Amino acid sequence: MTISKDQAQEKLERVFQDVFDDDSLRIGEDMTRENFPTWDSLGHIRLVSALEETFGVSFSIEEIEGMTSVGRILERILAKA
């Protein structure tokens, strides 16, 4: 299955909204764990789990540790989709 960057970002935003329980949340590629306080270690685990389920992919420990921004998450998803 091929997914465009726009489609991936749209789905990614919905995942963020679900995981962080905020339907008004808007994401950008420059959004990082550092500038989004709710994105703590537990939030990261929940986020990765939701991403794997939503996109039908799995991530290695190294990939998960490197997912420190929306931009990096988007890159990983597009590489696997």
Side-chain angles (χ1 to χ4, degrees), residues 20-81:
F20 298 108
D21 198 29
D22 182 353
D23 291 339
S24 67
L25 179 62
R26 298 293 171 255
I27 62 170
E29 289 189 49
D30 59 342
M31 183 177 162
T32 67
R33 289 182 69 175
E34 288 78 33
N35 63 23
F36 187 61
T38 316
W39 188 356
D40 57 12
S41 56
L42 180 57
H44 192 63
I45 292 167
R46 292 176 46 229
L47 179 62
V48 169
S49 177
L51 291 170
E52 289 179 332
E53 185 176 327
T54 300
F55 289 95
V57 296
S58 61
F59 300 106
S60 69
I61 296 297
E62 293 80 19
E63 288 172 320
I64 292 168
E65 290 173 351
M67 292 178 170
T68 57
S69 71
V70 169
R72 287 187 178 173
I73 291 172
L74 202 51
E75 285 174 11
R76 296 305 330 138
I77 290 169
L78 291 171
K80 291 181 176 278

Short mmCIF file of all heavy atoms in Angstrom, two decimals, residues 20-81:
data_model
loop_
_atom_site.label_atom_id
_atom_site.label_comp_id
_atom_site.label_asym_id
_atom_site.label_seq_id
_atom_site.Cartn_x
_atom_site.Cartn_y
_atom_site.Cartn_z
N PHE A 20 -3.64 11.55 22.66
CA PHE A 20 -3.52 12.63 23.64
C PHE A 20 -4.88 13.25 23.98
O PHE A 20 -4.94 14.28 24.65
CB PHE A 20 -2.51 13.67 23.17
CG PHE A 20 -1.12 13.07 23.04
CD1 PHE A 20 -0.55 12.84 21.80
CD2 PHE A 20 -0.41 12.70 24.17
CE1 PHE A 20 0.71 12.27 21.68
CE2 PHE A 20 0.85 12.13 24.07
CZ PHE A 20 1.41 11.92 22.82
N ASP A 21 -5.95 12.61 23.52
CA ASP A 21 -7.32 12.96 23.88
C ASP A 21 -7.61 14.46 23.69
O ASP A 21 -8.07 15.15 24.59
CB ASP A 21 -7.61 12.54 25.32
CG ASP A 21 -9.11 12.48 25.60
OD1 ASP A 21 -9.88 12.23 24.65
OD2 ASP A 21 -9.49 12.70 26.76
N ASP A 22 -7.30 14.94 22.47
CA ASP A 22 -7.50 16.35 22.16
C ASP A 22 -7.89 16.48 20.68
O ASP A 22 -7.02 16.50 19.80
CB ASP A 22 -6.23 17.14 22.46
CG ASP A 22 -6.38 18.63 22.21
OD1 ASP A 22 -7.43 19.07 21.67
OD2 ASP A 22 -5.44 19.38 22.55
N ASP A 23 -9.18 16.55 20.41
CA ASP A 23 -9.67 16.63 19.03
C ASP A 23 -9.27 17.90 18.31
O ASP A 23 -9.35 17.97 17.07
CB ASP A 23 -11.19 16.47 18.99
CG ASP A 23 -11.64 15.07 19.36
OD1 ASP A 23 -10.83 14.13 19.26
OD2 ASP A 23 -12.81 14.91 19.74
N SER A 24 -8.86 18.93 19.05
CA SER A 24 -8.47 20.19 18.42
C SER A 24 -6.96 20.25 18.13
O SER A 24 -6.48 21.22 17.55
CB SER A 24 -8.88 21.37 19.30
OG SER A 24 -8.13 21.36 20.50
N LEU A 25 -6.22 19.22 18.52
CA LEU A 25 -4.76 19.20 18.35
C LEU A 25 -4.38 19.22 16.87
O LEU A 25 -4.91 18.46 16.07
CB LEU A 25 -4.20 17.94 19.02
CG LEU A 25 -2.69 17.73 18.94
CD1 LEU A 25 -1.95 18.86 19.65
CD2 LEU A 25 -2.32 16.40 19.56
N ARG A 26 -3.50 20.12 16.52
CA ARG A 26 -2.95 20.22 15.18
C ARG A 26 -1.45 19.99 15.28
O ARG A 26 -0.79 20.55 16.15
CB ARG A 26 -3.22 21.59 14.54
CG ARG A 26 -4.70 21.90 14.37
CD ARG A 26 -5.33 20.96 13.35
NE ARG A 26 -6.77 21.09 13.32
CZ ARG A 26 -7.63 20.20 13.83
NH1 ARG A 26 -7.19 19.13 14.46
NH2 ARG A 26 -8.93 20.37 13.75
N ILE A 27 -0.93 19.14 14.40
CA ILE A 27 0.50 18.83 14.45
C ILE A 27 1.22 19.44 13.28
O ILE A 27 0.64 19.73 12.24
CB ILE A 27 0.74 17.30 14.47
CG1 ILE A 27 0.20 16.65 13.19
CG2 ILE A 27 0.13 16.67 15.72
CD1 ILE A 27 0.60 15.19 13.01
N GLY A 28 2.52 19.65 13.46
CA GLY A 28 3.39 20.11 12.39
C GLY A 28 4.68 19.31 12.48
O GLY A 28 5.00 18.74 13.52
N GLU A 29 5.41 19.25 11.38
CA GLU A 29 6.62 18.43 11.34
C GLU A 29 7.67 18.89 12.35
O GLU A 29 8.51 18.10 12.77
CB GLU A 29 7.21 18.42 9.93
CG GLU A 29 6.37 17.62 8.97
CD GLU A 29 7.03 17.43 7.63
OE1 GLU A 29 8.21 17.02 7.61
OE2 GLU A 29 6.37 17.67 6.61
N ASP A 30 7.60 20.15 12.78
CA ASP A 30 8.58 20.66 13.73
C ASP A 30 8.18 20.43 15.19
O ASP A 30 8.92 20.76 16.10
CB ASP A 30 8.82 22.15 13.49
CG ASP A 30 7.54 22.97 13.61
OD1 ASP A 30 6.44 22.39 13.55
OD2 ASP A 30 7.65 24.20 13.77
N MET A 31 7.02 19.81 15.41
CA MET A 31 6.57 19.51 16.76
C MET A 31 7.43 18.39 17.34
O MET A 31 7.62 17.36 16.71
CB MET A 31 5.10 19.08 16.72
CG MET A 31 4.48 18.80 18.03
SD MET A 31 2.72 18.41 17.68
CE MET A 31 2.31 17.61 19.18
N THR A 32 7.97 18.61 18.55
CA THR A 32 8.84 17.62 19.18
C THR A 32 8.33 17.25 20.57
O THR A 32 7.45 17.91 21.11
CB THR A 32 10.27 18.18 19.35
OG1 THR A 32 10.24 19.24 20.30
CG2 THR A 32 10.85 18.66 18.02
N ARG A 33 8.93 16.21 21.12
CA ARG A 33 8.58 15.80 22.48
C ARG A 33 8.90 16.92 23.46
O ARG A 33 8.21 17.08 24.46
CB ARG A 33 9.35 14.54 22.87
CG ARG A 33 8.85 13.30 22.12
CD ARG A 33 9.57 12.06 22.54
NE ARG A 33 9.22 11.71 23.92
CZ ARG A 33 9.61 10.63 24.54
NH1 ARG A 33 10.38 9.77 23.91
NH2 ARG A 33 9.25 10.38 25.77
N GLU A 34 9.95 17.68 23.18
CA GLU A 34 10.36 18.77 24.08
C GLU A 34 9.34 19.90 24.13
O GLU A 34 9.18 20.54 25.17
CB GLU A 34 11.74 19.32 23.69
CG GLU A 34 12.88 18.38 23.99
CD GLU A 34 13.01 17.24 22.98
OE1 GLU A 34 12.70 17.44 21.78
OE2 GLU A 34 13.39 16.13 23.39
N ASN A 35 8.67 20.19 23.01
CA ASN A 35 7.73 21.32 23.02
C ASN A 35 6.27 20.89 23.12
O ASN A 35 5.37 21.67 22.85
CB ASN A 35 7.97 22.27 21.82
CG ASN A 35 7.74 21.62 20.47
OD1 ASN A 35 7.03 20.62 20.35
ND2 ASN A 35 8.35 22.19 19.45
N PHE A 36 6.06 19.63 23.51
CA PHE A 36 4.70 19.12 23.71
C PHE A 36 4.70 18.30 25.01
O PHE A 36 4.96 17.10 24.99
CB PHE A 36 4.28 18.26 22.50
CG PHE A 36 2.85 17.83 22.52
CD1 PHE A 36 1.81 18.75 22.50
CD2 PHE A 36 2.53 16.48 22.56
CE1 PHE A 36 0.48 18.34 22.51
CE2 PHE A 36 1.20 16.05 22.56
CZ PHE A 36 0.18 16.99 22.54
N PRO A 37 4.44 18.94 26.14
CA PRO A 37 4.60 18.33 27.46
C PRO A 37 3.85 17.02 27.68
O PRO A 37 4.32 16.14 28.40
CB PRO A 37 4.10 19.39 28.44
CG PRO A 37 4.16 20.67 27.69
CD PRO A 37 4.00 20.33 26.24
N THR A 38 2.69 16.85 27.05
CA THR A 38 1.91 15.63 27.24
C THR A 38 2.58 14.42 26.59
O THR A 38 2.31 13.29 26.94
CB THR A 38 0.49 15.82 26.66
OG1 THR A 38 -0.01 17.08 27.04
CG2 THR A 38 -0.45 14.76 27.15
N TRP A 39 3.49 14.68 25.66
CA TRP A 39 4.20 13.62 24.95
C TRP A 39 5.36 13.14 25.81
O TRP A 39 6.52 13.29 25.49
CB TRP A 39 4.66 14.15 23.60
CG TRP A 39 5.25 13.17 22.64
CD1 TRP A 39 5.49 11.84 22.83
CD2 TRP A 39 5.68 13.46 21.31
NE1 TRP A 39 6.04 11.29 21.71
CE2 TRP A 39 6.18 12.25 20.75
CE3 TRP A 39 5.70 14.61 20.54
CZ2 TRP A 39 6.68 12.19 19.45
CZ3 TRP A 39 6.20 14.54 19.25
CH2 TRP A 39 6.68 13.34 18.72
N ASP A 40 5.04 12.54 26.94
CA ASP A 40 6.04 12.01 27.86
C ASP A 40 6.35 10.56 27.50
O ASP A 40 5.90 10.07 26.46
CB ASP A 40 5.57 12.15 29.31
CG ASP A 40 4.23 11.45 29.55
OD1 ASP A 40 3.77 10.68 28.69
OD2 ASP A 40 3.65 11.69 30.62
N SER A 41 7.08 9.85 28.34
CA SER A 41 7.48 8.48 28.00
C SER A 41 6.28 7.55 27.87
O SER A 41 6.23 6.72 26.95
CB SER A 41 8.48 7.93 29.01
OG SER A 41 7.95 8.00 30.31
N LEU A 42 5.30 7.66 28.74
CA LEU A 42 4.10 6.83 28.63
C LEU A 42 3.31 7.21 27.38
O LEU A 42 2.84 6.34 26.64
CB LEU A 42 3.22 6.97 29.87
CG LEU A 42 1.93 6.15 29.87
CD1 LEU A 42 2.22 4.67 29.68
CD2 LEU A 42 1.15 6.37 31.15
N GLY A 43 3.19 8.50 27.13
CA GLY A 43 2.51 8.96 25.91
C GLY A 43 3.21 8.45 24.66
O GLY A 43 2.56 8.11 23.66
N HIS A 44 4.54 8.36 24.71
CA HIS A 44 5.31 7.88 23.56
C HIS A 44 5.00 6.41 23.29
O HIS A 44 4.81 6.01 22.14
CB HIS A 44 6.81 8.09 23.81
CG HIS A 44 7.65 7.91 22.59
ND1 HIS A 44 7.53 8.72 21.47
CD2 HIS A 44 8.61 7.01 22.29
CE1 HIS A 44 8.39 8.32 20.55
NE2 HIS A 44 9.06 7.28 21.03
N ILE A 45 4.93 5.61 24.34
CA ILE A 45 4.60 4.19 24.19
C ILE A 45 3.21 4.03 23.59
O ILE A 45 2.99 3.24 22.66
CB ILE A 45 4.71 3.45 25.54
CG1 ILE A 45 6.17 3.40 25.98
CG2 ILE A 45 4.12 2.05 25.45
CD1 ILE A 45 6.37 3.00 27.43
N ARG A 46 2.25 4.79 24.11
CA ARG A 46 0.89 4.73 23.59
C ARG A 46 0.85 5.18 22.14
O ARG A 46 0.13 4.61 21.31
CB ARG A 46 -0.04 5.58 24.46
CG ARG A 46 -0.22 5.00 25.86
CD ARG A 46 -1.05 5.86 26.80
NE ARG A 46 -2.27 6.37 26.21
CZ ARG A 46 -2.66 7.64 26.27
NH1 ARG A 46 -1.94 8.54 26.91
NH2 ARG A 46 -3.79 8.02 25.71
N LEU A 47 1.61 6.22 21.82
CA LEU A 47 1.66 6.75 20.46
C LEU A 47 2.22 5.72 19.48
O LEU A 47 1.63 5.46 18.44
CB LEU A 47 2.50 8.03 20.43
CG LEU A 47 2.68 8.71 19.08
CD1 LEU A 47 1.34 9.17 18.52
CD2 LEU A 47 3.65 9.88 19.21
N VAL A 48 3.33 5.10 19.84
CA VAL A 48 3.96 4.11 18.96
C VAL A 48 3.01 2.94 18.73
O VAL A 48 2.85 2.46 17.60
CB VAL A 48 5.32 3.64 19.53
CG1 VAL A 48 5.84 2.43 18.77
CG2 VAL A 48 6.33 4.78 19.50
N SER A 49 2.38 2.47 19.78
CA SER A 49 1.43 1.37 19.66
C SER A 49 0.29 1.74 18.70
O SER A 49 -0.09 0.95 17.83
CB SER A 49 0.88 1.02 21.04
OG SER A 49 -0.08 0.01 20.95
N ALA A 50 -0.25 2.94 18.86
CA ALA A 50 -1.34 3.39 17.98
C ALA A 50 -0.86 3.56 16.54
O ALA A 50 -1.60 3.24 15.60
CB ALA A 50 -1.90 4.71 18.51
N LEU A 51 0.37 4.01 16.36
CA LEU A 51 0.92 4.17 15.01
C LEU A 51 1.06 2.81 14.33
O LEU A 51 0.70 2.65 13.15
CB LEU A 51 2.28 4.86 15.06
CG LEU A 51 2.29 6.32 15.45
CD1 LEU A 51 3.72 6.80 15.69
CD2 LEU A 51 1.60 7.18 14.41
N GLU A 52 1.59 1.84 15.07
CA GLU A 52 1.77 0.51 14.50
C GLU A 52 0.42 -0.09 14.08
O GLU A 52 0.30 -0.67 13.00
CB GLU A 52 2.50 -0.41 15.49
CG GLU A 52 3.96 -0.02 15.65
CD GLU A 52 4.72 -0.89 16.63
OE1 GLU A 52 4.10 -1.44 17.57
OE2 GLU A 52 5.94 -1.03 16.45
N GLU A 53 -0.58 0.10 14.92
CA GLU A 53 -1.91 -0.43 14.61
C GLU A 53 -2.54 0.31 13.42
O GLU A 53 -3.07 -0.30 12.50
CB GLU A 53 -2.80 -0.32 15.84
CG GLU A 53 -4.16 -0.95 15.63
CD GLU A 53 -5.00 -0.93 16.89
OE1 GLU A 53 -4.45 -1.04 17.99
OE2 GLU A 53 -6.23 -0.79 16.76
N THR A 54 -2.48 1.62 13.44
CA THR A 54 -3.12 2.43 12.40
C THR A 54 -2.50 2.23 11.03
O THR A 54 -3.20 2.13 10.02
CB THR A 54 -3.06 3.93 12.78
OG1 THR A 54 -3.74 4.11 14.02
CG2 THR A 54 -3.68 4.81 11.72
N PHE A 55 -1.16 2.19 11.00
CA PHE A 55 -0.47 2.12 9.72
C PHE A 55 -0.08 0.69 9.32
O PHE A 55 0.46 0.47 8.23
CB PHE A 55 0.76 3.03 9.73
CG PHE A 55 0.42 4.49 9.71
CD1 PHE A 55 0.34 5.22 10.89
CD2 PHE A 55 0.16 5.15 8.52
CE1 PHE A 55 0.02 6.57 10.88
CE2 PHE A 55 -0.16 6.50 8.49
CZ PHE A 55 -0.24 7.21 9.68
N GLY A 56 -0.32 -0.28 10.21
CA GLY A 56 0.00 -1.67 9.89
C GLY A 56 1.49 -1.91 9.73
O GLY A 56 1.91 -2.67 8.85
N VAL A 57 2.29 -1.27 10.55
CA VAL A 57 3.74 -1.41 10.50
C VAL A 57 4.25 -1.74 11.89
O VAL A 57 3.51 -1.67 12.87
CB VAL A 57 4.42 -0.11 10.00
CG1 VAL A 57 4.01 0.20 8.58
CG2 VAL A 57 4.11 1.07 10.91
N SER A 58 5.53 -2.09 11.97
CA SER A 58 6.15 -2.24 13.28
C SER A 58 7.49 -1.53 13.25
O SER A 58 8.13 -1.41 12.19
CB SER A 58 6.31 -3.72 13.65
OG SER A 58 7.13 -4.37 12.72
N PHE A 59 7.89 -1.04 14.40
CA PHE A 59 9.11 -0.26 14.51
C PHE A 59 10.11 -0.97 15.42
O PHE A 59 9.72 -1.59 16.41
CB PHE A 59 8.81 1.13 15.09
CG PHE A 59 7.85 1.93 14.26
CD1 PHE A 59 6.54 2.13 14.67
CD2 PHE A 59 8.25 2.50 13.06
CE1 PHE A 59 5.65 2.88 13.92
CE2 PHE A 59 7.36 3.25 12.29
CZ PHE A 59 6.06 3.44 12.72
N SER A 60 11.39 -0.83 15.09
CA SER A 60 12.45 -1.37 15.93
C SER A 60 12.65 -0.44 17.14
O SER A 60 12.19 0.71 17.14
CB SER A 60 13.76 -1.47 15.14
OG SER A 60 14.26 -0.16 14.87
N ILE A 61 13.36 -0.94 18.13
CA ILE A 61 13.67 -0.12 19.31
C ILE A 61 14.41 1.15 18.89
O ILE A 61 14.11 2.24 19.38
CB ILE A 61 14.52 -0.92 20.33
CG1 ILE A 61 13.73 -2.11 20.88
CG2 ILE A 61 15.01 -0.03 21.46
CD1 ILE A 61 12.49 -1.75 21.64
N GLU A 62 15.36 1.01 17.96
CA GLU A 62 16.12 2.18 17.50
C GLU A 62 15.21 3.21 16.83
O GLU A 62 15.36 4.42 17.05
CB GLU A 62 17.24 1.75 16.53
CG GLU A 62 18.33 0.94 17.17
CD GLU A 62 17.96 -0.54 17.35
OE1 GLU A 62 17.02 -1.03 16.69
OE2 GLU A 62 18.61 -1.20 18.18
N GLU A 63 14.27 2.73 16.03
CA GLU A 63 13.34 3.64 15.36
C GLU A 63 12.46 4.34 16.40
O GLU A 63 12.24 5.55 16.31
CB GLU A 63 12.45 2.89 14.37
CG GLU A 63 13.18 2.43 13.13
CD GLU A 63 12.36 1.53 12.24
OE1 GLU A 63 11.62 0.66 12.75
OE2 GLU A 63 12.45 1.70 11.01
N ILE A 64 11.97 3.58 17.37
CA ILE A 64 11.11 4.15 18.40
C ILE A 64 11.85 5.23 19.18
O ILE A 64 11.31 6.31 19.44
CB ILE A 64 10.58 3.04 19.34
CG1 ILE A 64 9.61 2.14 18.57
CG2 ILE A 64 9.91 3.63 20.57
CD1 ILE A 64 9.25 0.84 19.28
N GLU A 65 13.10 4.95 19.54
CA GLU A 65 13.89 5.94 20.28
C GLU A 65 14.17 7.18 19.45
O GLU A 65 14.32 8.27 19.99
CB GLU A 65 15.21 5.30 20.74
CG GLU A 65 15.01 4.27 21.84
CD GLU A 65 16.30 3.51 22.18
OE1 GLU A 65 17.31 3.65 21.46
OE2 GLU A 65 16.27 2.77 23.17
N GLY A 66 14.23 7.03 18.13
CA GLY A 66 14.51 8.15 17.24
C GLY A 66 13.29 8.98 16.88
O GLY A 66 13.41 10.02 16.24
N MET A 67 12.13 8.54 17.30
CA MET A 67 10.88 9.25 16.97
C MET A 67 10.68 10.41 17.96
O MET A 67 9.81 10.36 18.82
CB MET A 67 9.70 8.29 17.03
CG MET A 67 9.70 7.26 15.95
SD MET A 67 8.29 6.16 16.16
CE MET A 67 8.35 5.26 14.64
N THR A 68 11.48 11.44 17.79
CA THR A 68 11.43 12.56 18.73
C THR A 68 10.68 13.77 18.18
O THR A 68 10.53 14.77 18.86
CB THR A 68 12.86 12.98 19.12
OG1 THR A 68 13.58 13.29 17.91
CG2 THR A 68 13.56 11.86 19.87
N SER A 69 10.22 13.66 16.93
CA SER A 69 9.46 14.76 16.33
C SER A 69 8.43 14.19 15.36
O SER A 69 8.56 13.05 14.90
CB SER A 69 10.38 15.73 15.59
OG SER A 69 10.88 15.12 14.41
N VAL A 70 7.45 15.00 15.05
CA VAL A 70 6.43 14.59 14.07
C VAL A 70 7.10 14.33 12.73
O VAL A 70 6.78 13.36 12.04
CB VAL A 70 5.32 15.66 13.96
CG1 VAL A 70 4.42 15.39 12.77
CG2 VAL A 70 4.51 15.71 15.25
N GLY A 71 8.07 15.17 12.36
CA GLY A 71 8.78 14.99 11.09
C GLY A 71 9.48 13.64 11.00
O GLY A 71 9.40 12.96 9.98
N ARG A 72 10.14 13.23 12.08
CA ARG A 72 10.84 11.94 12.08
C ARG A 72 9.85 10.78 12.04
O ARG A 72 10.10 9.77 11.39
CB ARG A 72 11.74 11.82 13.30
CG ARG A 72 12.97 12.69 13.19
CD ARG A 72 13.93 12.43 14.31
NE ARG A 72 15.13 13.24 14.14
CZ ARG A 72 16.08 13.31 15.04
NH1 ARG A 72 15.99 12.63 16.17
NH2 ARG A 72 17.13 14.06 14.83
N ILE A 73 8.73 10.92 12.75
CA ILE A 73 7.71 9.87 12.71
C ILE A 73 7.17 9.74 11.29
O ILE A 73 7.03 8.63 10.77
CB ILE A 73 6.57 10.19 13.70
CG1 ILE A 73 7.07 10.07 15.15
CG2 ILE A 73 5.38 9.26 13.47
CD1 ILE A 73 6.09 10.55 16.19
N LEU A 74 6.89 10.85 10.67
CA LEU A 74 6.37 10.84 9.30
C LEU A 74 7.35 10.17 8.34
O LEU A 74 6.96 9.36 7.49
CB LEU A 74 6.09 12.29 8.88
CG LEU A 74 5.12 12.54 7.75
CD1 LEU A 74 3.80 11.81 7.96
CD2 LEU A 74 4.87 14.03 7.61
N GLU A 75 8.65 10.46 8.50
CA GLU A 75 9.68 9.82 7.66
C GLU A 75 9.64 8.31 7.80
O GLU A 75 9.71 7.57 6.82
CB GLU A 75 11.06 10.33 8.07
CG GLU A 75 11.40 11.72 7.63
CD GLU A 75 12.74 12.18 8.22
OE1 GLU A 75 13.50 11.35 8.78
OE2 GLU A 75 13.03 13.39 8.11
N ARG A 76 9.56 7.83 9.05
CA ARG A 76 9.55 6.38 9.31
C ARG A 76 8.31 5.73 8.70
O ARG A 76 8.38 4.66 8.11
CB ARG A 76 9.61 6.07 10.80
CG ARG A 76 10.85 6.50 11.53
CD ARG A 76 12.20 6.00 10.98
NE ARG A 76 12.19 4.72 10.32
CZ ARG A 76 12.85 4.44 9.18
NH1 ARG A 76 13.56 5.35 8.57
NH2 ARG A 76 12.79 3.23 8.66
N ILE A 77 7.17 6.38 8.86
CA ILE A 77 5.92 5.83 8.32
C ILE A 77 5.99 5.75 6.81
O ILE A 77 5.65 4.73 6.21
CB ILE A 77 4.70 6.67 8.77
CG1 ILE A 77 4.47 6.47 10.27
CG2 ILE A 77 3.46 6.33 7.96
CD1 ILE A 77 3.47 7.43 10.87
N LEU A 78 6.46 6.81 6.16
CA LEU A 78 6.54 6.83 4.70
C LEU A 78 7.54 5.81 4.19
O LEU A 78 7.34 5.22 3.13
CB LEU A 78 6.88 8.23 4.21
CG LEU A 78 5.77 9.27 4.41
CD1 LEU A 78 6.27 10.67 4.09
CD2 LEU A 78 4.53 8.92 3.59
N ALA A 79 8.60 5.57 4.93
CA ALA A 79 9.60 4.58 4.53
C ALA A 79 9.03 3.16 4.59
O ALA A 79 9.45 2.29 3.85
CB ALA A 79 10.84 4.69 5.42
N LYS A 80 8.07 2.94 5.48
CA LYS A 80 7.51 1.60 5.68
C LYS A 80 6.21 1.37 4.92
O LYS A 80 5.83 0.23 4.72
CB LYS A 80 7.28 1.34 7.16
CG LYS A 80 8.56 1.22 7.95
CD LYS A 80 8.29 0.96 9.40
CE LYS A 80 9.57 0.74 10.17
NZ LYS A 80 10.08 -0.63 10.06
N ALA A 81 5.52 2.43 4.55
CA ALA A 81 4.20 2.29 3.93
C ALA A 81 4.30 1.90 2.47
O ALA A 81 5.25 2.15 1.81
CB ALA A 81 3.40 3.59 4.07
#
